[in-house]
């Protein structure tokens, strides 16, 4: 109910324009279920202005999943998060679809201002998802030049040395 109401506020452009941090993490649990943030993220994309001053998005331990990650990527690509530099999606139900969406955003030149990206403890991110994301860093026009913190622990990243090494050696992650 609360996430749905917040999505409606965002969709109508009634969220305070000065909002810098949006943190809806473990307190998003409702009656033993995780709150689904996909609807809220879709509302950001559908809104006219997005959340223009937002710097930090933390939906850790919430249900974002592949669909929610796709909305995040679309919002990045359409300029709805122009100031967003920190994204924490630890244990948020991300999967290979999520990584493919982020890879597409990277290849489109979005997400290049990211400083911190925490995708840890998402067990459904397989080696293919890690490869997709790492290869996108290498192939993207700018990479992620400001990224100083990337967490993929608890995913299959430790099984993908080749793509991770390629991304680190590509000079597209100079702050890492």
């Amino acid at each position: 109910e609360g996430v749905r109401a917040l999505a409606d506020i965002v969709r109508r452009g009634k969220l305070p324009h000065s909002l810098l941090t949006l943190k809806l993490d473990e307190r998003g649990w409702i009656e033993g279920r995780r709150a689904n943030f996909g609807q809220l993220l879709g509302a950001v994309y559908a809104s006219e202005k997005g959340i223009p001053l937002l710097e930090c998005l933390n939906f850790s331990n919430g249900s974002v999943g592949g669909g929610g990650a796709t909305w995040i990527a679309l919002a990045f690509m359409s300029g709805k998060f122009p100031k967003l530099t920190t994204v924490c999606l630890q244990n948020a139900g991300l999967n290979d679809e999520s990584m493919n969406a982020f890879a597409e955003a990277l290849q489109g030149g979005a997400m290049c201002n990211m400083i911190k990206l925490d995708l840890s403890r998402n067990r459904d991110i397989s080696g293919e998802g890690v490869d997709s994301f790492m290869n996108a860093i290498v192939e993207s026009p700018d990479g992620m030049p400001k990224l100083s913190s990337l967490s993929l622990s608890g995913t299959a990243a430790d099984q993908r040395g080749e793509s991770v090494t390629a991304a680190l050696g590509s000079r597209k992650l100079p702050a890492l």
Side-chain angles (χ1 to χ4, degrees):
E1 190 72 31
V3 173
R4 194 175 332 193
L6 185 56
D8 187 52
I9 290 168
V10 169
R11 194 174 295 107
R12 291 184 291 125
K14 300 296 183 185
L15 201 63
H17 294 290
S18 60
L19 184 67
L20 300 178
T21 299
L22 182 57
K23 181 178 180 182
L24 299 171
D25 55 10
E26 58 274 345
R27 288 178 295 279
W29 290 73
I30 301 168
E31 296 176 16
R33 296 179 325 189
R34 294 194 291 183
N36 186 334
F37 297 123
Q39 186 175 32
L40 174 58
L41 294 164
V44 171
Y45 175 69
S47 69
E48 184 178 332
K49 295 179 183 174
I51 309 176
L53 298 179
L54 190 70
E55 296 174 356
C56 177
L57 177 71
N58 185 341
F59 287 172
S60 293
N61 299 311
S63 181
V64 174
T70 298
W71 287 122
I72 292 172
L74 288 169
F76 265 116
M77 290 187 286
S78 63
K80 305 293 173 106
F81 290 135
K83 304 265 186 201
L84 191 60
T85 59
T86 300
V87 173
C88 298
L89 298 172
Q90 181 185 80
N91 191 33
L94 301 184
N95 54 28
D96 290 347
E97 179 185 349
S98 311
M99 298 304 276
N100 292 334
F102 292 142
E104 188 176 332
L106 274 167
Q107 289 174 326
M111 298 179 71
C112 62
N113 290 323
M114 192 67 37
I115 294 171
K116 178 181 179 181
L117 183 59
D118 184 348
L119 306 177
S120 63
R121 295 180 46 221
N122 285 286
R123 292 179 184 89
D124 290 334
I125 296 175
S126 74
E128 289 78 21
V130 172
D131 286 347
S132 172
F133 183 71
M134 293 298 164
N135 292 335
I137 291 171
V138 172
E139 297 166 5
S140 67
D142 299 315
M144 300 179 88
K146 298 178 182 180
L147 190 70
S148 61
S149 176
L150 174 63
S151 182
L152 292 168
S153 63
T155 70
D158 60 344
Q159 303 167 10
R160 291 308 212 217
E162 190 173 317
S163 66
V164 173
T165 302
L168 291 172
S170 69
R171 298 186 183 182
K172 299 281 180 101
L173 296 167
L176 199 57

